[in-house]
Amino acid sequence: MPLFFLSYAQEDNRNGQVQAFFGDLSEAVAGLAGVRWHEAGFIDGQILLGSTWTDTLANALSTSACLIALTSPRYVVSDYCGREFRVFADRIDEHERQHQVRPPALVPVQWIPCDRLPEAVGAFQYRNFPTGTVYAQDGLLTLKQRRRHEDDYKDFVDALAKHIVQTAREHTLHRPAQRPTLAKVTSAFGQPVRPQTQTGPAAAGAVQRATSARHVHIVLVAGSSAELVGSRPGAEDRYGAVSRDWRPYRPELEVPIGSWAGAIATTKSYGWTVEDAEDLAAVREWARAHNQIVVLVVDVWSADLPRYRLSLIGYDRDVDAPRAPVLVPWTAADDAASGGNRKMWDTLARVLPHHVLHNTREMWRTEIPTSARFQEELEDVLVVEQGRIYRTGTVYQEPPTDGTGQRPILEGP
């Protein structure tokens, strides 16, 4: 019986970081529990050649003492991860019905930050291990990758291992009488819920934003499905209730574009937030004061909406302030819906005329057809923008001085 099951999105392990974390956690759990390393945890990479993959996975889900869910933008839109989550959550529910005790055996761990989490994940937020500001803002992957946070990462792994071993000792989790058939299980991940709105006295103050210079503001020009249903064919598939729901590369990429951009920024060691372009002026002012990056991601079909038009035109006219790079997704589906890219250029010329007239490669990335190309463009933009900030950003620390204002005089012995 594994002491923990590691649930993760396959794409998050492309560089081997998930596998490395699994090794670190397995070693810590094995040492505390007094078991062999390969008995500590389960990851799907352990499945032996010739085994039936779904049966092996279902067995591990049915017998593991804990499930560690590495949440990320890819994880929360993965149907298969949602099924794994459902099987284990059902075990906890059944245990609670039988014993009137709800064991803390399902632990979401923030691997890469998500701007929103499915309601099912939010119901399992246990805080029995340390979470500092870096983890809270940038996730465990950042802790693992940055050498200066090595001690924080080790403390997190050790505390998580203690939680797993203690939970396994104190609770014999319910096991289903029959092995679940994963193909028939419904994903636990429905529509992600919006972040909770701040209430109380602080809500009346200024918006709380990050102050770290390693931060990217991903500003979206994207309407809702209700606003675009009459002008954009297929709007119901690509837009949702708010701008953050915009999925321009669907079905190729199910992740909202803001979360996808944030995941890319995280791999480059940036913190990030997704913001609406109605707040563009305030975001630019904040970023300028804190040497942060602003990236404007524009949906052409939304740029003409009244609530965005004035904001974009005002930004375009502000020629004295540093410009934010503009990324414009434009897929084959957009081209087909409009009968060509003339709509794109006509719309951009109305709301961002100076950008169109003085377009440069550094600031202007249009007609981005795929999510992979979007990743390439955003990664390049981050390099360009960081270089600009190094050259022109605000310097806050003045050279040290003894306060005398006098030049030193060298005297002989």
Side-chain angles (χ1 to χ4, degrees):
M1 178 190 79
L3 294 181
F4 73 94
F5 181 108
L6 189 64
S7 178
Y8 69 99
Q10 292 284 340
E11 284 293 305
D12 288 339
N13 193 38
R14 292 182 65 181
N15 58 4
Q17 293 290 346
V18 170
Q19 190 75 41
F21 166 68
F22 174 78
D24 295 338
L25 185 58
S26 294
E27 184 174 354
V29 168
L32 289 172
V35 300
R36 288 178 292 181
W37 185 90
H38 70 274
E39 297 173 329
F42 177 90
I43 191 171
D44 58 13
Q46 292 178 322
I47 297 175
L48 299 175
L49 185 65
S51 300
T52 303
W53 181 74
T54 53
D55 290 348
T56 305
L57 204 65
N59 282 335
L61 281 169
S62 300
T63 59
S64 297
C66 291
L67 182 136
I68 307 301
L70 294 188
T71 64
S72 71
R74 295 185 181 102
Y75 185 86
V76 300
V77 297
S78 168
D79 181 70
Y80 218 92
C81 292
R83 296 183 194 190
E84 292 176 352
F85 199 98
R86 169 72 70 191
V87 169
F88 208 89
D90 286 349
R91 289 181 62 197
I92 292 177
D93 291 342
E94 183 60 31
H95 187 95
E96 184 178 26
R97 282 192 289 269
Q98 292 183 11
H99 304 284
Q100 286 73 55
V101 174
R102 189 168 183 83
L106 199 163
V107 183
V109 170
Q110 180 178 244
W111 185 247
I112 297 174
C114 302
D115 57 336
R116 295 176 300 161
L117 288 174
E119 188 173 355
V121 177
F124 289 94
Q125 295 290 349
Y126 298 106
R127 301 294 183 187
N128 292 354
F129 39 94
T131 56
T133 55
V134 176
Y135 170 84
Q137 179 171 299
D138 299 330
L140 187 61
L141 176 59
T142 296
L143 281 184
K144 188 177 187 313
Q145 289 179 322
R146 294 183 185 174
R147 187 182 295 270
R148 66 179 179 272
H149 297 309
E150 183 177 357
D151 290 341
D152 292 333
Y153 170 74
K154 289 180 178 178
D155 289 344
F156 187 97
V157 171
D158 288 344
L160 180 56
K162 290 176 184 176
H163 178 91
I164 291 169
V165 173
Q166 183 179 354
T167 300
R169 287 173 177 169
E170 294 180 354
H171 305 278
T172 303
L173 198 61
H174 167 79
R175 297 187 188 183
Q178 293 184 337
R179 183 176 60 210
T181 302
L182 291 178
K184 297 181 179 180
V185 174
T186 302
S187 170
F189 303 158
Q191 288 294 325
V193 296
R194 299 188 186 92
Q196 291 185 348
T197 303
Q198 185 181 13
T199 58
V207 174
Q208 296 298 308
R209 291 193 170 99
T211 57
S212 168
R214 295 289 297 183
H215 196 87
V216 181
H217 298 272
I218 301 154
V219 182
L220 301 182
V221 177
S224 66
S225 56
E227 289 175 305
L228 296 167
V229 68
S231 58
R232 169 56 168 103
E236 299 87 348
D237 292 334
R238 287 175 171 76
Y239 306 89
V242 293
S243 63
R244 294 171 185 237
D245 294 326
W246 178 34
R247 293 173 169 85
Y249 297 113
R250 195 173 187 181
E252 174 212 337
L253 180 72
E254 291 292 340
V255 179
I257 192 65
S259 296
W260 175 239
I264 296 166
T266 297
T267 65
K268 301 302 178 183
S269 300
Y270 287 95
W272 57 278
T273 50
V274 177
E275 316 224 24
D276 192 281
E278 286 186 279
D279 300 322
L280 179 58
V283 171
R284 291 179 70 214
E285 182 179 355
W286 180 272
R288 192 174 174 182
H290 295 86
N291 291 328
Q292 297 171 340
I293 295 173
V294 177
V295 177
L296 192 60
V297 185
V298 178
D299 172 46
V300 172
W301 302 88
S302 304
D304 254 343
L305 294 174
R307 63 190 179 96
Y308 288 135
R309 191 183 303 124
L310 292 178
S311 179
L312 291 175
I313 291 174
Y315 156 67
D316 189 70
R317 289 174 177 170
D318 187 9
V319 295
D320 295 328
R323 293 191 177 277
V326 177
L327 276 65
V328 184
W330 185 262
T331 67
D334 293 307
D335 213 51
S338 65
N341 67 1
R342 181 172 180 176
K343 174 182 173 55
M344 181 188 71
W345 289 110
D346 287 348
T347 302
L348 293 176
R350 282 195 299 274
V351 297
L352 295 171
H354 286 90
H355 277 74
V356 173
L357 184 62
H358 304 288
N359 69 85
T360 64
R361 172 67 181 163
E362 288 78 11
M363 295 289 104
W364 193 238
R365 315 287 176 111
T366 60
E367 296 186 80
I368 305 176
T370 66
S371 63
R373 177 69 177 277
F374 182 90
Q375 179 174 353
E376 293 172 3
E377 298 286 8
L378 179 56
E379 288 175 346
D380 189 48
V381 158
L382 294 179
V383 172
V384 171
E385 280 298 279
Q386 193 61 65
R388 178 190 62 78
I389 289 173
Y390 284 150
R391 295 190 305 272
T392 64
T394 304
V395 178
Y396 293 101
Q397 184 174 355
E398 296 182 356
T401 177
D402 60 5
T404 63
Q406 301 294 323
R407 296 177 62 186
I409 299 176
L410 298 180
E411 297 181 352

